[in-house]
Amino acid sequence: MSNLLTASIGRKLLMSVSGLFLILFLFVHLILNSFLLLDGCMGFETGQLFNAGVHFMGTNPLIKIIEPTLALGFVVHIVYSLILTVQNMKARGPQAYASGKKTTGVEWASLNMLPLGIAILAFLIVHIFNFYMKMKGYIAWEGGEVEFPFFGSMATGENAYALVNETFKSLPLVLLYVVGSVALAFHLAHGFWSSFQTIGWNNPIWMPRLRVISNVVAIILGGGFTVIALAQHLFF
Amino acid sequence: MEKIINLTLKVWRQNGSKAKGRFETYKVNNVSTDSSFLEMMDMLNEQLVSEDKVPVAFDHDCREGICGTCSLYINGRPHGPDDDVTTCQLHMRKFTDGQTITIEPWRSTAFPVIYDLMVDRRAFDKIISAGGYVSVNTGGVPDANAIPIAKADADESMDSASCIGCGACVAACKNGSAMLFVSAKVSQLAMLPQGRIEASRRAKAMVAKMDELGFGNCTNTGACEVECPKNISLSNIARLNREFLYAKFQD
Ligand code: HEM
Ligand code: SF4
Ligand code: FES
């Protein structure tokens, strides 16, 4: 284990593991968000499913551990992305090729991971102000108390659904969410398979498979968040 | 069919590693499309010598794609516009009459320019000396037939062994990373029983040397694989990561 993190592959391991952890979190997040749309088909009143989900996330004791871990995941991923990028720019050297780079067949996303990451980060900051800060009580908001079914009985909590629904009334904000989600999709179309390559879990047979899975993950996550934001704006 | 073409060359000239480089433009006429790129460069140099000018310095040796000495970044690609060939194997039929060809040295901090188009690739030799070999211990030589090797392993090992150390992978990489080269060298030995014994030590030593020499961190863009004249596969990099991480977690 000694000096693993001072080695290039060690630093990449941190990028990979933190990235995969963030992807896992995004899947949980997407499932919760899908509740925003599912009341109707599950026979609940509008907002009940999502409010129950938020209540569960807010009151669950595990969240006290998960939240700081998640923040750490982001910090590690972002800090190391900057360290790696600076080192790579140094390794490349200041002299650009006068005849440009005409190598064909290189994924666009793979060449733009930092700009895509920065787009995600910009979105993330707006997102935290939109919802997280309000739901956690750092910024005041008027949602009112509501009742919803919770594990067989009824529970009351803040009307988080109303907050989301209000927020997504703004078209510019919805568009920002779409842009953030698309950036995420591109980041993951490369990032997902790349992280498996980084931890060494790849070979000639799995390479094409992982690339396909990577695109599927990108479409599910990027597309999922896009659809939810748009649907909330248009139909709810 | 053979054609005769006239070309304009924009060539990087640099009088030594410390000097500031610049592009010079030359005309080379009556180039046969049947000639090779380096023969065209020879024509340029004969022309320069006859004009009492300093010829362009560029690396070359075998001129048949096996030694890895030739380099050159030609019109936006290492080893020029053809796929899976070295510059010495590049034909002039890939170019058209009247075309302007831009010729640059490999650009990477770990490969500083020595003169004109020649770069110092000794960094690769240093990585090899750090561990890219099988130690030979004295004692009886085992019978080659006594060590069975699966066909698939032998094939993959041979494929990795075809790396000629040209450095096109580094030249193509936006991160100046040498991972394709190092992974080919590590893989070629790790897949054979003779090399397997030292696999962990080798992976650690070669990666440490690669980092020390200032090569970048691989982000798996795959430009190296596209530009490699020997088609070294990106999956070698996964194997190197695996070998290296395994070795580190063993410590
Ligand atoms: C939820 C958000 C994010 C997820 C799920 C995510 C996921 C990933 C994954 C899986 C990788 C591939 C790692 C590898 O190749 O081993 C990656 C690479 C990268 N990420 Fe992110 N990322 C996110 C946010 C960000 C942010 C906010 C930034 C920067 C400000 C960023 C910058 C980068 C960079 C520069 C790389 C390429 C570095 C490399 O491959 O070594 N990412 N990301
Ligand atoms: S991996 Fe390919 S491009 Fe890189 S040094 Fe070897 S032969 Fe050249
Ligand atoms: S001169 Fe030997 S490979 Fe080109």
Side-chain angles (χ1 to χ4, degrees):
Chain A
M1 279 295 283
S2 58
N3 57 36
L4 173 62
L5 300 185
T6 56
S8 54
I9 298 177
R11 288 186 293 262
K12 286 261 12 208
L13 180 69
L14 280 181
M15 272 316 277
S16 162
V17 172
S18 61
L20 286 175
F21 172 67
L22 294 179
I23 291 176
L24 195 67
F25 155 73
L26 288 179
F27 270 106
V28 176
H29 197 327
L30 183 69
I31 291 171
L32 183 65
N33 285 16
S34 69
F35 291 178
L36 286 164
L37 309 182
L38 296 179
D39 290 311
C41 49
M42 309 268 286
F44 291 103
E45 283 168 35
T46 302
Q48 281 189 329
L49 257 183
F50 185 70
N51 281 332
V54 171
H55 189 67
F56 174 72
M57 287 295 174
T59 50
N60 189 330
L62 267 182
I63 216 77
K64 293 220 157 42
I65 308 166
I66 296 172
E67 226 175 58
T69 316
L70 182 63
L72 182 73
F74 270 107
V75 170
V76 167
H77 193 76
I78 293 169
V79 167
Y80 272 85
S81 80
L82 297 176
I83 295 176
L84 288 169
T85 305
V86 168
Q87 286 179 335
N88 290 350
M89 282 161 70
K90 269 203 207 120
R92 180 75 262 293
Q95 183 88 43
Y97 287 114
S99 52
K101 289 203 164 216
K102 306 221 166 59
T103 303
T104 50
V106 179
E107 274 175 280
W108 176 83
S110 75
L111 302 175
N112 293 286
M113 289 301 270
L114 188 68
L116 288 169
I118 290 171
I120 297 171
L121 183 64
F123 159 79
L124 188 69
I125 291 167
V126 175
H127 182 58
I128 285 175
F129 275 94
N130 281 162
F131 298 121
Y132 180 84
M133 301 287 274
K134 293 184 181 167
M135 289 186 189
K136 292 282 163 180
Y138 298 110
I139 297 177
W141 62 290
E142 298 282 319
E145 293 271 302
V146 281
E147 252 202 336
F148 41 80
F150 196 68
F151 289 110
S153 55
M154 294 301 276
T156 50
E158 274 176 320
N159 192 356
Y161 179 85
L163 173 65
V164 176
N165 195 250
E166 249 335 279
T167 311
F168 281 144
K169 289 217 165 90
S170 150
L171 182 63
L173 207 63
V174 169
L175 291 180
L176 180 81
Y177 272 67
V178 171
V179 171
S181 305
V182 170
L184 177 72
F186 278 102
H187 198 78
L188 296 187
H190 175 69
F192 186 79
W193 82 261
S194 174
S195 58
F196 282 93
Q197 170 90 357
T198 300
I199 56 176
W201 197 70
N202 205 353
N203 61 36
I205 297 169
W206 272 91
M207 181 78 83
R209 293 182 189 168
L210 278 175
R211 286 189 187 232
V212 170
I213 299 172
S214 201
N215 287 334
V216 172
V217 167
I219 291 169
I220 293 179
L221 287 177
F225 289 118
T226 304
V227 166
I228 291 167
L230 284 176
Q232 270 288 318
H233 180 73
L234 296 172
F235 307 122
F236 286 83
Chain B
M1 215 190 53
E2 188 192 6
K3 275 202 308 186
I4 300 297
I5 56 176
N6 299 332
L7 299 162
T8 305
L9 306 181
K10 261 182 74 187
V11 184
W12 182 260
R13 304 297 313 255
Q14 184 171 334
N15 308 337
S17 54
K18 299 258 162 9
K20 202 169 144 30
R22 78 239 168 248
F23 279 102
E24 295 278 349
T25 306
Y26 305 103
K27 296 257 181 231
V28 180
N29 293 336
N30 302 320
V31 179
S32 159
T33 49
D34 280 355
S35 63
S36 78
F37 195 85
L38 294 187
E39 283 169 329
M40 186 276 297
M41 292 298 285
D42 294 338
M43 285 174 72
L44 167 67
N45 276 348
E46 276 169 28
Q47 195 175 306
L48 289 174
V49 169
S50 72
E51 293 166 8
D52 261 348
K53 290 188 186 141
V54 183
V56 178
F58 62 91
D59 276 317
H60 59 106
D61 189 14
C62 73
R63 296 213 177 191
E64 55 179 356
I66 56 173
C67 74
T69 310
C70 59
S71 53
L72 306 188
Y73 195 91
I74 304 161
N75 277 356
R77 292 182 64 186
H79 294 302
D82 206 355
D83 288 331
D84 309 332
V85 296
T86 54
T87 294
C88 60
Q89 295 170 300
L90 178 64
H91 278 89
M92 290 314 294
R93 59 172 169 265
K94 290 281 159 189
F95 300 90
T96 53
D97 192 28
Q99 194 176 351
T100 299
I101 307 176
T102 306
I103 308 168
E104 297 168 78
W106 284 176
R107 302 279 189 206
S108 156
T109 305
F111 288 164
V113 172
I114 302 171
Y115 206 97
D116 293 343
L117 301 169
M118 286 174 120
V119 296
D120 180 355
R121 281 172 287 181
R122 273 176 298 179
F124 270 10
D125 300 335
K126 290 178 195 155
I127 295 175
I128 295 290
S129 351
Y133 49 80
V134 174
S135 303
V136 179
N137 303 312
T138 49
V141 182
D143 189 349
N145 296 333
I147 318 170
I149 300 168
K151 173 88 167 74
D153 291 341
D155 285 352
E156 230 183 313
S157 171
M158 274 306 277
D159 286 348
S160 311
S162 66
C163 165
I164 52 177
C166 64
C169 42
V170 179
C173 179
K174 84 173 183 45
N175 307 317
S177 165
M179 284 287 276
L180 195 64
F181 165 77
V182 176
S183 70
K185 298 300 175 192
V186 163
S187 293
Q188 148 205 349
L189 297 173
M191 274 180 287
L192 301 179
Q194 295 91 334
R196 188 65 240 166
I197 301 158
E198 293 171 292
S200 290
R201 202 200 50 144
R202 179 181 308 115
K204 281 188 288 186
M206 291 180 79
V207 168
K209 190 49 99 180
M210 169 186 89
D211 290 348
E212 180 197 318
L213 293 167
F215 290 102
N217 308 286
C218 172
T219 64
N220 304 318
T221 71
C224 52
E225 185 186 43
V226 178
E227 294 300 1
C228 172
K230 298 296 162 186
N231 261 322
I232 299 296
S233 159
L234 215 52
S235 57
N236 284 309
I237 296 183
R239 184 180 296 101
L240 170 60
N241 290 335
R242 196 154 66 227
E243 293 287 347
F244 179 84
L245 292 171
Y246 179 76
K248 281 287 184 185
F249 284 116
Q250 289 290 304
D251 290 353

